[in-house]
Amino acid sequence: MSEKNTPEETISAREGRDRVVELVFNTTEQLDVTGWWPRNGVAAADECIPKSRSGIEHATASYSYDRWAPQGTDHVGDAKRVAEYWESLGMSVRTVNPAKDPVVFGEGGPVARAEFDTDASDQSYSIGATAPCSPGDAVTLNDEDEAERDQGKVLPGDEGLVLQDPPQ
């Protein structure tokens, strides 16, 4: 329950995955920057409450996802555009170092948290988001996702992956 005495929204882990991927993609569309790619791979689940601590029936997991691109030329303007976009989604937003190489942090709205960094490593922009914790075991969720990929299904967040040729 939140402070307003209303039940907090509980979404499935997969709904969380879809929301973080959607937020990241929609955020990239706010910027006049090309070359976005999933530098850290597919959207993946991480443990919030491990099954080892609470039993699998009480395990929770949260998906996260990010995309990177070569830096734009208007760091301050791009950070403002991202902040305004996230605020329009109902997110609480704060910007660190707003005058040079800003980083925008957002919480709430469609995701638990998000970050836009105008000076990420290798002179890159990065946008990442993390979903709220949801019922589910991270290992099981990731194994199920991988099984679907092995069957040829493209899951949200798989777009733009650089696939290696299968072994001969």
Coordinates of all heavy atoms in Angstrom, one line a residue, residues 75-76 79 94-105 118-119:
H75 N 24.2 18.3 -25.6 CA 24.0 17.6 -24.4 C 22.9 18.2 -23.5 O 22.1 17.5 -23.0 CB 25.3 17.4 -23.6 CG 26.4 16.6 -24.3 ND1 27.4 16.1 -23.7 CD2 26.5 16.3 -25.6 CE1 28.2 15.4 -24.5 NE2 27.6 15.6 -25.7
V76 N 23.0 19.5 -23.3 CA 22.1 20.2 -22.4 C 20.7 20.2 -23.0 O 19.7 19.8 -22.3 CB 22.6 21.6 -22.1 CG1 21.5 22.4 -21.4 CG2 23.9 21.6 -21.4
A79 N 19.3 16.6 -22.8 CA 18.9 16.3 -21.4 C 17.5 16.9 -21.1 O 16.7 16.3 -20.5 CB 20.0 16.7 -20.4
R94 N 15.0 14.3 -12.0 CA 16.1 15.3 -11.6 C 17.3 15.2 -12.5 O 17.5 14.1 -13.1 CB 16.5 15.0 -10.1 CG 17.2 13.7 -9.9 CD 17.5 13.5 -8.4 NE 18.0 12.2 -8.2 CZ 19.3 11.8 -8.2 NH1 20.2 12.8 -8.4 NH2 19.7 10.6 -8.0
T95 N 18.0 16.3 -12.7 CA 19.1 16.3 -13.6 C 20.3 16.7 -12.7 O 20.3 17.7 -12.0 CB 18.9 17.4 -14.7 OG1 17.7 17.0 -15.4 CG2 20.1 17.4 -15.6
V96 N 21.4 15.9 -12.9 CA 22.7 16.2 -12.2 C 23.6 16.8 -13.3 O 23.6 16.4 -14.4 CB 23.2 14.9 -11.7 CG1 24.6 15.1 -11.1 CG2 22.3 14.2 -10.7
N97 N 24.4 17.8 -12.8 CA 25.3 18.5 -13.7 C 24.6 19.1 -14.9 O 25.0 18.8 -16.1 CB 26.5 17.5 -14.1 CG 27.7 18.2 -14.6 OD1 27.9 19.3 -14.3 ND2 28.5 17.5 -15.4
P98 N 23.6 19.9 -14.7 CA 22.8 20.4 -15.8 C 23.5 21.3 -16.9 O 23.0 21.4 -18.0 CB 21.7 21.1 -15.1 CG 22.2 21.5 -13.8 CD 23.2 20.5 -13.5
A99 N 24.6 21.9 -16.5 CA 25.3 22.8 -17.4 C 26.2 22.2 -18.4 O 26.5 22.7 -19.5 CB 26.0 23.9 -16.6
K100 N 26.8 21.0 -18.1 CA 27.7 20.3 -18.9 C 27.6 18.8 -18.7 O 27.8 18.3 -17.6 CB 29.1 20.8 -18.6 CG 30.2 20.2 -19.6 CD 31.6 20.7 -19.2 CE 32.7 20.2 -20.1 NZ 32.8 18.8 -20.1
D101 N 27.4 18.1 -19.8 CA 27.3 16.6 -19.7 C 26.3 16.1 -18.6 O 26.6 15.4 -17.7 CB 28.7 16.0 -19.4 CG 29.7 16.3 -20.5 OD1 29.3 16.5 -21.7 OD2 30.9 16.5 -20.1
P102 N 25.1 16.6 -18.7 CA 24.1 16.3 -17.7 C 23.7 14.8 -17.8 O 23.8 14.1 -18.8 CB 22.9 17.1 -18.1 CG 23.1 17.6 -19.5 CD 24.6 17.5 -19.8
V103 N 23.2 14.3 -16.6 CA 22.6 13.0 -16.4 C 21.2 13.2 -15.9 O 21.1 13.9 -14.9 CB 23.5 12.1 -15.5 CG1 22.8 10.7 -15.3 CG2 24.9 12.0 -16.0
V104 N 20.3 12.6 -16.5 CA 18.9 12.7 -16.1 C 18.4 11.4 -15.5 O 18.7 10.3 -16.0 CB 17.9 13.0 -17.3 CG1 16.5 13.2 -16.9 CG2 18.4 14.3 -18.1
F105 N 17.8 11.6 -14.3 CA 17.3 10.4 -13.5 C 15.8 10.5 -13.4 O 15.3 11.6 -13.2 CB 17.9 10.3 -12.1 CG 19.4 10.1 -12.1 CD1 20.3 11.2 -12.0 CD2 19.9 8.8 -12.2 CE1 21.6 11.0 -12.0 CE2 21.3 8.6 -12.1 CZ 22.2 9.7 -12.1
T118 N 24.5 11.7 -20.8 CA 25.1 12.4 -22.1 C 26.6 12.2 -22.2 O 27.1 12.6 -23.2 CB 24.7 13.9 -22.1 OG1 25.4 14.5 -21.0 CG2 23.2 14.1 -22.0
D119 N 27.2 11.6 -21.2 CA 28.7 11.4 -21.3 C 29.1 10.0 -20.8 O 29.9 9.9 -19.9 CB 29.4 12.5 -20.5 CG 30.9 12.6 -20.8 OD1 31.3 12.2 -21.9 OD2 31.6 13.0 -19.9

